[in-house]
Amino acid sequence: MISLPTLWFIVLAFLWTGYLFLEGFDLGVGMLMKLMGRSEKDRRVMLNTIGPVWDGNEVWLITAGAMTFATFPLWYAALFSALYIPLVLVLLGLIFRAVSIEYRGKNNSDRWRSGWDWAMALGSFVSAFGVGAALALTTTGLPLNENGDRVGGAFAWFNGYAVLGGLAVVAFCLVHACAFLALKSRGDIEMRARRAVVRWLPLGVAPMAVWAIVVQLQNGKPLTLIPLVVAVVAAVLSWVMARRGREGWSFTYLGLFLVAGVFTIFAALYPNVLPSTLDPAWSLTVENASSSDYTLTVISWVSLFGLPLVVLYQGWTYWVFRKRITAEAIPAAHTVTAQ
């Protein structure tokens, strides 16, 4: 029978996968606002594709962080304290992105909108890079001593793996956003996004594939090679479907690449949750970093009812707003005078 710590490790892997899948395309759309949008109409089409769902997607990040705190407090303490600086930058990036989405339409001025578009693009980039760096470090390790405390200065976390993880999530978000825009829009943005997927998908998935391969080489088991192969095949199929103009299948296979890749990373990491680069004996595992069985039992019963409701509600939201966005449906920008 599966233990509660292992069960919650699986749940957390599911939450992080859900966050990267859902938040991935809206962070990518934010980064593309100044790259793909050639006119105000284009940018408003792009913004409206994520308008009904972007704030709900952030719930997955909040839930993943809160559940880590509740179920694996030592993992949470070691990771979040070691990565205090990048996680603060992630928070600031999310704030800038949220404010820009709400404020860019409050003034009928090109300069005003351009400034908030830059805030959205930079905030999305910083958030994606920081989350990727954090996840890469929790899967490749930090310099932890026998007490689970970080050894070194405030930038002891900054290494090649952090850069790899940051670039992996940024690159995936960009290509994922292109696949999403090709699926959710019609017209010029759809055509541009489809061409971008065909052109950039191999480069967009390469860093995440390298990340999965690194973790597999460090800690992998023979069975974790299977999802790694699935991820590679899914990426190829996504590219093929994009070339054929099958946007739905291209987006689906790109999502399968993410799911299989993240499964490879977390499955290879298990039973560790945060390896120590100083001594493997000091690594945090699902057993020594978890809460008590009583705490995990209570959280499990609460989540048994809460998590399915969140998933069902968000699925219903995507169903309601499933239709494509067209430039013709976007009214011209205008000034509203307060009465």
Side-chain angles (χ1 to χ4, degrees):
M1 182 178 178
I2 189 171
S3 67
L4 282 175
T6 298
L7 173 63
W8 272 102
F9 179 78
I10 296 171
V11 172
L12 287 172
F14 167 75
L15 291 173
W16 280 115
T17 304
Y19 174 74
L20 291 174
F21 181 86
L22 297 172
E23 187 84 331
F25 59 74
D26 66 46
L27 286 174
V29 169
M31 287 185 275
L32 289 171
M33 286 289 284
K34 301 298 289 187
L35 296 174
M36 186 171 289
R38 296 177 181 174
S39 66
E40 174 58 15
K41 272 290 182 74
D42 287 346
R43 287 186 281 272
R44 290 180 67 189
V45 168
M46 294 169 65
L47 192 58
N48 275 271
T49 62
I50 63 171
V53 297
W54 69 269
D55 48 353
N57 294 341
E58 287 188 351
V59 172
W60 288 77
L61 176 63
I62 298 169
T63 305
M67 287 300 185
T68 304
F69 171 77
T71 57
F72 293 95
L74 296 182
W75 181 11
Y76 178 93
L79 183 66
F80 278 62
S81 61
L83 303 181
Y84 189 84
I85 293 176
L87 291 178
V88 167
L89 293 176
V90 167
L91 179 60
L92 291 174
L94 291 174
I95 291 172
F96 269 93
R97 186 183 69 125
V99 172
S100 66
I101 291 173
E102 298 293 340
Y103 273 54
R104 76 178 303 276
K106 301 301 183 184
N107 190 354
N108 188 15
S109 162
D110 290 338
R111 183 176 181 182
W112 171 271
R113 286 188 291 263
S114 180
W116 286 116
D117 287 342
W118 278 114
M120 189 188 309
L122 294 175
S124 298
F125 172 81
V126 169
S127 300
F129 189 92
V131 168
L135 289 176
L137 290 171
T138 201
T139 56
T140 57
L142 285 167
L144 305 178
N145 62 20
E146 64 273 19
N147 297 318
D149 298 325
R150 183 206 65 212
V151 175
F155 292 93
W157 57 271
F158 190 76
N159 57 31
Y161 293 132
V163 174
L164 173 63
L167 292 177
V169 173
V170 168
F172 176 80
C173 286
L174 288 170
V175 72
H176 195 39
C178 291
F180 179 75
L181 289 171
L183 177 66
K184 281 290 291 176
S185 65
R186 193 173 299 282
D188 290 342
I189 290 294
E190 176 194 4
M191 295 298 103
R192 263 177 260 153
R194 184 190 300 171
R195 289 194 296 268
V197 173
V198 174
R199 183 174 183 180
W200 297 110
L201 187 144
L203 186 62
V205 301
M208 188 168 288
V210 172
W211 175 12
I213 292 170
V214 167
V215 177
Q216 173 68 24
L217 292 175
Q218 289 180 341
N219 307 296
K221 302 90 177 171
L223 285 178
T224 54
L225 282 172
I226 298 174
L228 185 59
V229 173
V230 171
V232 173
V233 173
V236 173
L237 289 175
S238 178
W239 183 80
V240 171
M241 291 297 107
R243 280 183 59 89
R244 295 179 179 178
R246 305 290 297 275
E247 295 94 346
W249 283 110
S250 177
F251 183 77
T252 300
Y253 281 124
L254 192 57
L256 178 59
F257 162 81
L258 175 73
V259 172
V262 174
F263 181 86
T264 299
I265 291 169
F266 276 91
L269 176 66
Y270 180 86
N272 292 326
V273 295
L274 182 55
S276 170
T277 58
L278 301 179
D279 188 335
W282 297 341
S283 298
L284 298 180
T285 68
V286 293
E287 297 298 335
N288 66 24
S290 67
S291 297
S292 66
D293 284 345
Y294 177 78
T295 300
L296 294 178
T297 300
V298 172
I299 296 172
S300 298
W301 279 109
V302 172
S303 301
L304 182 64
F305 296 97
L307 283 178
L309 287 176
V310 171
V311 173
L312 288 173
Y313 173 77
Q314 196 161 21
W316 175 80
T317 302
Y318 277 93
W319 175 255
V320 170
F321 295 100
R322 66 189 181 276
K323 292 187 177 180
R324 293 176 183 260
I325 306 296
T326 63
E328 292 73 23
I330 305 294
H334 57 281
T335 301
V336 177
T337 303
Q339 300 294 326

